[in-house]
Amino acid sequence: MKDIRALLGMQLVVWIHLFFRFRKREIAHLLALTDSFTWEELPTKDPETGRLTKAGYLPVTQKIASHASALIYTFHFVQSSVRIATSHDKVFPAWFPFDTTVNPAYAAVNLVQAIGSLFITCAFAGFLSLYATFICVACSQLEKLRAAILDIRQTYITLQQECGAETNKQDGEGHPLTPEELFGHMQKQLNDCIRHHQQIKRFMQANEDCWNFVLCALFLLMLSAMCFVAFSAITSWGDHVDVSQAVVIYLAMLSCLCVFCWLGTELSKEAESVRDAAWGCDWVGTPVPFQRCLMFIIAAANKEFTLTAGKFVPVSNKTMMNMMNQSASFFMFLLNMKDKNIKESGTE
């Protein structure tokens, strides 16, 4: 079971490596699409709830990735050192065509595997950080679009009241804006929102095309790894060092799953919020072209957007809960069977 546990972890990293190797064009396309977006001017905290906005998550993502990778590697290094000192094990179980039980071959193998562990940890954390960055960029632009739509909502009565206060800054003479001029300014703002919305939709679709295939395999591997880790923890029950490694691997897989699914759910919610913001705009009394543009945004945002794994599994909190329930049920079943066998052997 230790060998299978290491094998599943290696499969995850190999799949991520293949993704970076053969999806360079898609990643470069995503990076190019972000050139038309800005998020530095957005608030990092929601003024109403005080929570971090998606723009606020962007600078935090890299810090979390670096700290998480350092924490995982530190635990792995300590746990491997204990096994090497007590059981004369290697960092990873592996076969070599030479004797690795004596020095200097034993020390050289462990050193190479320790360096490989560092590369594996950085690749895995970097993959999560890249995914989180792209999704947070999309969410931040949807937040920016929603705020821009809400800024231009005005009723016909409000327009009449503010018409005398608004001045025409273009002619420099300080003449008040007429209702037609003010509606024209609102129409220009709404046209900018439509163009921004189309750019965001292209970016979201590019994310779906880039991530759906790699996430399909990762979800299958993570579910398999979580079940096998639960089984290996039961078979190694009583060996605290080995069980602790199984628990950390399970928590690491679960954390990665939470990152994927939570961000996917947030992206779907932000996409729906654009539709709600457009519908909540005070469009009564506005010109017909203005209303048609609002209808265009509502129709475009009304199409539900969901990140998928392989085009058939939604990357959402519901999928995460299903995977957690499956692995937890498997673990509890094995634990009950182990307790039952212990009681039966004690009775005999």
Side-chain angles (χ1 to χ4, degrees):
M1 293 309 302
K2 293 181 182 178
D3 296 344
I4 295 177
R5 188 189 306 166
L7 177 62
L8 290 172
M10 291 299 180
Q11 287 179 341
L12 284 171
V13 177
V14 168
W15 186 251
I16 291 173
H17 171 73
L18 293 176
F19 165 76
F20 281 125
R21 183 173 180 82
F22 295 104
R23 290 280 183 167
K24 291 181 181 179
R25 184 175 301 177
E26 287 80 359
I27 296 174
H29 179 58
L30 285 174
L31 290 173
L33 290 176
T34 59
D35 291 340
S36 59
F37 299 145
T38 58
W39 53 83
E40 292 82 5
E41 76 279 5
L42 298 177
T44 57
K45 289 188 177 181
D46 192 323
E48 297 180 358
T49 62
R51 298 179 179 177
L52 282 176
T53 61
K54 299 307 179 295
Y57 276 112
L58 286 171
V60 179
T61 300
Q62 294 182 350
K63 294 182 180 179
I64 294 177
S66 59
H67 293 167
S69 59
L71 180 63
I72 293 174
Y73 186 76
T74 299
F75 173 82
H76 174 69
F77 180 80
V78 172
Q79 193 263 355
S80 299
S81 299
V82 171
R83 288 192 295 107
I84 291 172
T86 57
S87 305
H88 201 67
D89 289 339
K90 293 187 287 292
V91 176
F92 295 115
W95 177 86
F96 295 91
F98 52 86
D99 188 8
T100 59
T101 59
V102 295
N103 288 319
Y106 180 71
V109 166
N110 283 317
L111 178 61
V112 171
Q113 290 186 343
I115 296 174
S117 301
L118 179 61
F119 291 150
I120 289 171
T121 305
C122 292
F124 198 68
F127 174 80
L128 285 174
S129 178
L130 181 66
Y131 170 83
T133 299
F134 280 135
I135 301 303
C136 285
V137 167
C139 291
S140 67
Q141 296 310 302
L142 290 170
E143 290 177 344
K144 183 177 180 179
L145 176 62
R146 184 178 71 248
I149 293 175
L150 293 176
D151 284 341
I152 62 175
R153 64 176 188 176
Q154 297 181 46
T155 61
Y156 182 70
I157 297 177
T158 304
L159 288 175
Q160 287 182 330
Q161 293 176 350
E162 294 182 353
C163 210
E166 293 288 339
T167 58
N168 192 343
K169 299 180 181 179
Q170 295 181 354
D171 58 15
E173 298 179 359
H175 295 301
L177 288 173
T178 63
E180 292 78 11
E181 291 174 331
L182 193 52
F183 275 128
H185 179 67
M186 292 174 58
Q187 184 67 50
K188 181 178 181 299
Q189 288 181 305
L190 187 58
N191 292 341
D192 292 338
C193 290
I194 292 175
R195 285 191 288 268
H196 190 199
H197 190 208
Q198 294 302 309
Q199 292 175 345
I200 297 172
K201 290 187 64 178
R202 285 195 295 269
F203 182 67
M204 292 165 60
Q205 187 58 46
N207 272 285
E208 165 67 11
D209 296 337
C210 179
W211 298 107
N212 77 87
F213 185 66
V214 66
L215 289 179
C216 178
L218 284 179
F219 276 27
L220 292 174
L221 289 173
M222 283 191 291
L223 180 59
S224 301
M226 291 165 68
C227 293
F228 271 111
V229 165
F231 183 66
S232 65
I234 295 297
T235 57
S236 303
W237 204 260
D239 187 349
H240 301 294
V241 175
D242 194 59
V243 172
S244 64
Q245 186 189 49
V247 171
V248 169
I249 293 175
Y250 184 88
L251 293 177
M253 296 293 175
L254 185 59
S255 300
C256 297
L257 186 63
C258 290
V259 170
F260 290 132
C261 295
W262 178 73
L263 287 174
T265 301
E266 289 297 310
L267 182 59
S268 298
K269 289 181 179 179
E270 292 294 341
E272 292 179 1
S273 67
V274 174
R275 176 196 61 194
D276 297 337
W279 176 255
C281 186
D282 293 332
W283 49 269
V284 178
T286 58
V288 174
F290 185 85
Q291 297 180 15
R292 288 177 178 173
C293 291
L294 278 178
M295 291 176 60
F296 180 80
I297 292 182
I298 294 173
N302 199 39
K303 298 178 181 179
E304 182 180 0
F305 179 83
T306 304
L307 281 177
T308 63
K311 298 291 185 180
F312 62 92
V313 177
V315 182
S316 62
N317 290 336
K318 183 178 180 180
T319 302
M320 177 186 66
M321 293 303 299
N322 289 335
M323 295 176 66
M324 288 175 58
N325 290 334
Q326 292 293 331
S327 60
S329 300
F330 185 65
F331 176 78
M332 295 305 299
F333 170 75
L334 294 174
L335 188 61
N336 290 333
M337 291 297 296
K338 182 178 179 63
D339 293 338
K340 183 179 178 180
N341 291 336
I342 292 174
K343 291 179 181 179
E344 290 179 353
S345 60
T347 304
E348 294 177 356

